[in-house]
């Protein structure tokens, strides 16, 4: 066994299976069923069924498998190669998830032949992705990454950003499993930028779960928890049951590393229940194993042992080496803790044998060897105990040496990632500030226009009122002018009559006394007429100056003189 390279075991490697996106699963399936019923051709009906199965496999794998195999028969019956190719890709994902790797590989070989025959690069990239998932699920990450890189090379040339985001995410998982966290975060951030630009919440839910795994491996538990919870939130919003499942499983593992055993048990139980409903035996087995470990640490030994047995049965049924190893190692640890050393030995030996099929080792691996050493020692097999203990120590020392390197890398990675987050936040703050300033400008502009409008309205009202008052004053002046002119005319008439009377008197043979008596009133009238004429002129002068009050006073004097 090669222990020169020690890798950190991820919490949910089945996240590699996250290549399809789903939204509002139940409602969507209902709408697809209507479209299938309404399909007018066999080819359209087959393609609609493929779409339905992509959604269905997120809910129940057994139902999805039955429907896909039936659809494959229908496609081959009419020689519909495009439909057959898509069904084969669908089946490869179902077989891989259920641990039937041989069946998955067989359908991918057929799919590869069809894609090359059809010369369809798009379908070829999907096959590379499926092959990457198949080998990644089996723990063969080098081979898995080779296929994802092939897929990315084609997608980058074609500019298919939607598929490219998922491929970056899948490749990141391969690097994560190998402990290369620099490359992991590099590709996860590339994927996240694409998905955020597209506002693709479904793909983000998958990716956030993987990024949570990365930060947990970097021992940043706060960020890991934040990403897991956000992923669960988006998965519930969009009804993505498998991502919700992975989130519960991941949180169970996260809380176990913090010795928060009750929380670990609660989330592991949620994951196990949901996995059972979905028919995902591998995740159900892994979740039961985590729940069993939590029960052991909560002092509930009998329940822990029974649950560990159930987890192992399901893991063997799922046929995934890593899940089987986890179930065996966990059961062996429980048996060791309760001093059932004879029962623990074959379980732990089998767990160690499973490591030959897995490329990564971690502290959990060291602990498995240590538990086996304890069992050997208590059974009197000291040579075996010493040999196994040395292997455990070697793995642990190697991990600790790698931990020193990793911690240095962590500081750099955390700094770079947080720096990018800070820059992104600063840019967002700048945009928000600009938007706020624009809003304030608009507010003040509208406010200024409103004030100007109010001022304009006020001025207009004042001018209108003044104009009305001016019109009233002018009308009054005109009336008074007409009255003065009428009075003047009356005075002139009186004067003319007096003059006529004077003329008549001069013609008569009147006595000097009578003439004298007539002359006195005439002089009075003449004087009065002259004074009245001057007063009228003064009234006219005051009216020109619009001095209405003075004109009224003079007019009053004229009137008094007439009495």
């Amino acid at each position: 066994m090669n222990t020169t390279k020690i890798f950190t075991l991820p919490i949910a490697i089945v996240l590699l299976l996250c290549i399809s996106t789903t939204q509002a699963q139940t409602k969507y399936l209902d709408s697809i069923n209507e479209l299938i019923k309404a399909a007018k051709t066999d080819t359209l009906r087959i393609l609609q069924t493929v779409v339905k199965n992509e959604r269905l496999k997120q809910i129940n794998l057994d139902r999805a498998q039955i429907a896909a195999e039936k659809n494959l028969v229908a496609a081959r019956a009419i020689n519909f190669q495009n439909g057959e190719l898509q069904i084969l890709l669908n089946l490869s994902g179902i077989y891989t998830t259920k641990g039937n790797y041989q069946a998955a590989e067989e359908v991918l070989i057929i799919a590869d032949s069809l894609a090359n025959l059809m010369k369809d690069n798009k379908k070829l990239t999907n096959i590379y992705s499926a092959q990457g998932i198949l080998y990644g699920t089996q723990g063969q990450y080098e081979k898995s990454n080779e296929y994802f890189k092939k897929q990315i090379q084609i997608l980058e040339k074609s500019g298919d950003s939607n598929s490219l985001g998922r491929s970056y995410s899948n490749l990141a998982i391969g690097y994560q499993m190998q402990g290369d966290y620099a490359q992991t975060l590099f590709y996860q951030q590339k994927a996240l930028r694409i998905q955020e630009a597209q506002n693709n919440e479904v793909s983000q839910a998958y990716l956030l779960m993987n990024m949570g795994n990365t930060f947990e491996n970097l021992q940043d538990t706060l960020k890991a928890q934040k990403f897991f919870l956000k992923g669960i939130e988006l998965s519930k919003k969009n009804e993505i049951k498998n991502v919700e499942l992975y989130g519960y499983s991941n949180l169970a593992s996260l809380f176990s590393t913090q010795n928060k055993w009750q929380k670990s048990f609660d989330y592991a139980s949620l994951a196990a229940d949901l996995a059972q409903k979905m028919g995902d035996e591998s995740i159900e087995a892994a979740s039961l194993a985590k729940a069993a470990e939590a029960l052991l640490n909560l002092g509930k030994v009998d329940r822990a042992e029974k649950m560990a047995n159930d987890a192992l049965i399901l893991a063997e049924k799922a046929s995934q080496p890593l899940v089987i190893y986890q179930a065996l190692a966990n059961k062996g640890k429980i048996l060791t803790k309760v001093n059932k050393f004879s029962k623990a030995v074959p379980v732990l030996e089998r767990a160690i044998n499973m490591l030959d099929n897995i490329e990564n080792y971690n502290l959990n691996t060291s602990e498995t060897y240590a538990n086996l050493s304890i069992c050997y020692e208590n059974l009197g097999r000291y040579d075996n105990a010493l040999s196994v203990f040395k292997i455990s120590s070697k793995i642990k020392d190697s991990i600790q040496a790698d931990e020193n390197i990793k911690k240095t890398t962590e500081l750099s990675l955390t700094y770079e990632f947080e720096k990018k987050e800070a820059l992104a936040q600063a840019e967002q703050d700048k945009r928000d500030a600009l938007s706020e300033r624009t809003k304030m400008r608009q507010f003040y502009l509208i406010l200024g226009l409103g004030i100007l409008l109010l001022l304009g309205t006020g001025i207009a009202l004042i001018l209108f009122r003044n104009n009305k008052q001016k019109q009233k004053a002018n009308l009054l002046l005109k009336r008074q002018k007409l009255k003065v002119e009428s009075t003047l005319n009356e005075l002139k008439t009186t004067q003319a009559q007096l003059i006529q009377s004077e003329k008549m008197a001069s013609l008569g043979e009147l006595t000097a006394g009578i003439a004298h008596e007539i002359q006195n009133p005439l002089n009075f009238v003449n004087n009065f007429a002259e004074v009245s004429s001057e007063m009228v002129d003064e009234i006219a002068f005051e009216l020109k100056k619009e001095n209405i009050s003075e004109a009224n006073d003079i007019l009053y004097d004229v009137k008094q003189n007439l009495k």
Side-chain angles (χ1 to χ4, degrees):
M1 180 188 62
N2 179 16
T3 59
T4 58
K5 292 179 71 178
I6 309 298
F7 305 114
T8 302
L9 187 66
I11 295 169
I13 63 166
V14 287
L15 283 173
L16 278 163
L17 301 176
C18 305
I19 64 168
S20 63
T21 59
T22 61
Q23 292 184 346
Q25 303 283 15
T26 306
K27 293 179 182 178
Y28 194 85
L29 285 176
D30 291 340
S31 63
I32 286 292
N33 284 332
E34 292 300 319
L35 291 174
I36 292 171
K37 290 178 183 178
K40 295 182 178 179
T41 63
D42 291 336
T43 56
L44 183 57
R45 187 177 301 107
I46 289 167
L47 290 175
Q48 293 286 11
T49 305
V50 170
V51 175
K52 175 186 174 181
N53 287 344
E54 282 295 330
R55 279 31 177 196
L56 189 59
K57 75 178 183 181
Q58 310 298 332
I59 301 172
N60 189 295
L61 289 169
D62 293 330
R63 285 173 58 198
Q65 180 180 335
I66 293 169
E69 288 173 346
K70 182 179 178 181
N71 202 30
L72 181 62
V73 173
R76 285 175 173 170
I78 61 172
N79 195 29
F80 182 30
Q81 291 184 337
N82 183 41
E84 180 182 354
L85 179 54
Q86 293 189 52
I87 297 166
L88 291 170
L89 286 168
N90 182 263
L91 277 170
S92 74
I94 295 170
Y95 290 147
T96 299
T97 306
K98 298 184 76 172
N100 191 349
Y101 303 125
Q102 184 177 350
E105 193 164 1
E106 287 173 358
V107 296
L108 285 176
I109 290 171
I110 299 170
D112 185 66
S113 300
L114 281 172
N116 283 299
L117 184 65
M118 296 166 65
K119 297 180 180 180
D120 189 334
N121 276 344
K122 174 66 176 176
K123 296 295 189 300
L124 195 59
T125 61
N126 292 337
I127 292 168
Y128 288 152
S129 177
Q131 288 170 324
I133 291 168
L134 173 61
Y135 290 113
T137 305
Q138 297 177 77
Q140 300 178 38
Y141 303 113
E142 287 288 347
K143 201 168 183 179
S144 171
N145 284 358
E146 286 177 13
Y147 281 107
F148 286 129
K149 287 176 182 176
K150 285 182 180 179
Q151 182 194 27
I152 287 170
Q153 189 175 12
I154 297 173
L155 292 174
E156 285 180 336
K157 288 180 180 178
S158 67
D160 185 354
S161 60
N162 189 41
S163 299
L164 195 56
R166 293 197 298 269
S167 299
Y168 286 148
S169 181
N170 284 332
L171 180 58
I173 296 172
Y175 283 120
Q176 181 186 48
M177 302 300 285
Q178 295 172 305
D180 189 343
Y181 299 111
Q183 288 289 76
T184 300
L185 280 177
F186 173 74
Y187 281 107
Q188 283 177 339
Q189 289 175 42
K190 289 185 76 169
L192 187 60
R193 280 194 293 271
I194 291 173
Q195 291 162 7
E196 286 179 339
Q198 296 172 338
N199 195 28
N200 189 338
E201 289 187 344
V202 178
S203 293
Q204 284 180 58
Y206 287 109
L207 182 58
L208 290 170
M209 210 60 67
N210 288 335
M211 293 183 79
N213 286 331
T214 304
F215 284 112
E216 182 174 5
N217 284 322
L218 291 171
Q219 298 178 6
D220 190 340
T221 55
L222 289 177
K223 274 190 178 176
Q225 184 175 337
K226 173 186 171 183
F227 277 92
F228 289 148
L229 291 173
K230 182 63 176 175
I232 290 172
E233 179 188 338
L234 289 179
S235 65
K236 284 184 173 181
K237 179 180 176 181
N238 295 279
E239 298 186 27
I240 319 169
K241 294 296 182 184
N242 59 334
V243 178
E244 182 184 352
L245 168 62
Y246 302 144
Y248 295 146
S249 180
N250 290 340
L251 284 170
S253 296
L254 182 66
F255 286 123
S256 70
T257 62
Q258 301 174 59
N259 296 325
K260 296 178 180 179
W261 297 111
Q262 187 59 54
K263 282 189 174 182
S264 177
F265 175 77
D266 292 340
Y267 277 109
S269 299
L270 284 172
D273 290 343
L274 187 54
Q276 184 180 41
K277 291 175 183 176
M278 292 179 60
D280 192 332
E281 292 171 339
S282 61
I283 295 295
E284 185 181 0
S287 300
L288 287 174
K290 292 170 188 176
E293 182 184 12
L295 286 172
L296 176 66
N297 285 278
L298 289 169
K300 301 176 182 179
V301 179
D302 292 338
R303 282 185 65 192
E305 191 172 348
K306 181 181 182 306
M307 195 166 285
N309 287 330
D310 294 340
L312 182 57
I313 292 169
L314 279 172
E316 289 175 334
K317 190 176 178 182
S319 302
Q320 290 193 12
L322 186 58
V323 178
I324 294 172
Y325 163 75
Q326 289 174 325
L328 287 167
N330 191 62
K331 181 179 178 181
K333 178 165 66 174
I334 292 171
L335 291 171
T336 302
K337 288 286 180 70
V338 297
N339 299 326
K340 295 182 179 181
F341 304 115
S342 297
K343 288 185 177 181
V345 167
V347 175
L348 292 169
E349 286 177 339
R350 188 179 166 206
I352 288 169
N353 289 334
M354 291 298 299
L355 292 171
D356 293 336
N357 300 318
I358 304 170
E359 290 182 2
N360 54 353
Y361 300 90
N362 66 349
L363 285 172
N364 178 267
T365 312
S366 174
E367 185 183 18
T368 302
Y369 277 101
N371 286 331
L372 183 57
S373 176
I374 292 169
C375 292
Y376 283 150
E377 182 181 358
N378 282 277
L379 293 172
R381 297 168 60 178
Y382 301 111
D383 290 341
N384 296 109
L386 180 61
S387 174
V388 172
F389 179 77
K390 287 180 179 178
I391 295 173
S392 173
S393 298
K394 185 177 180 181
I395 294 173
K396 189 174 182 179
D397 290 343
S398 180
I399 289 173
Q400 289 174 343
D402 281 359
E403 284 294 320
N404 292 330
I405 298 171
K406 190 176 84 171
K407 285 182 184 299
T408 304
T409 306
E410 284 172 23
L411 293 174
S412 174
L413 286 174
T414 302
Y415 170 74
E416 289 299 324
F417 188 74
E418 289 180 348
K419 184 171 72 174
K420 288 177 181 178
E421 280 189 321
L423 287 172
Q425 186 61 46
E427 285 296 321
Q428 185 61 45
D429 290 342
K430 192 185 295 182
R431 287 194 293 269
D432 290 343
L434 180 61
S435 176
E436 188 64 28
R437 286 197 297 272
T438 302
K439 288 179 181 177
M440 290 303 293
R441 285 198 205 100
Q442 291 174 344
F443 170 77
Y444 286 126
L445 179 60
I446 293 169
L447 181 62
L449 290 173
I451 292 171
L452 287 174
L453 182 61
L454 288 172
L455 287 173
T457 304
I459 292 169
L461 287 172
I462 292 169
L463 291 174
F464 177 78
R465 188 181 65 183
N466 289 344
N467 187 50
K468 292 291 286 183
Q469 289 177 345
K470 188 175 180 180
Q471 287 178 351
K472 287 180 180 179
N474 288 338
L475 181 60
L476 180 60
L477 287 172
K478 285 180 180 179
R479 287 174 179 172
Q480 290 173 342
K481 183 180 177 182
L482 289 172
K483 190 172 182 181
V484 169
E485 288 175 348
S486 176
T487 302
L488 183 59
N489 288 333
E490 288 177 2
L491 287 172
K492 286 181 178 180
T493 302
T494 302
Q495 186 180 24
Q497 289 173 350
L498 289 172
I499 293 169
Q500 184 64 28
S501 297
E502 182 182 0
K503 288 178 179 180
M504 291 298 294
S506 64
L507 294 174
E509 295 181 351
L510 298 176
T511 63
I514 296 173
H516 176 76
E517 290 298 326
I518 293 172
Q519 186 64 33
N520 285 337
L522 181 60
N523 289 337
F524 171 78
V525 171
N526 286 335
N527 291 335
F528 178 77
E530 288 178 4
V531 171
S532 297
S533 179
E534 289 176 359
M535 293 179 74
V536 168
D537 291 336
E538 287 181 10
I539 291 169
F541 178 74
E542 293 298 333
L543 288 174
K544 285 182 181 179
K545 293 196 303 181
E546 295 186 356
N547 195 343
I548 298 169
S549 177
E550 191 66 24
N552 286 336
D553 291 340
I554 298 169
L555 186 61
Y556 177 80
D557 292 339
V558 172
K559 188 175 181 181
Q560 290 297 319
N561 291 339
L562 290 174
K563 289 182 178 181

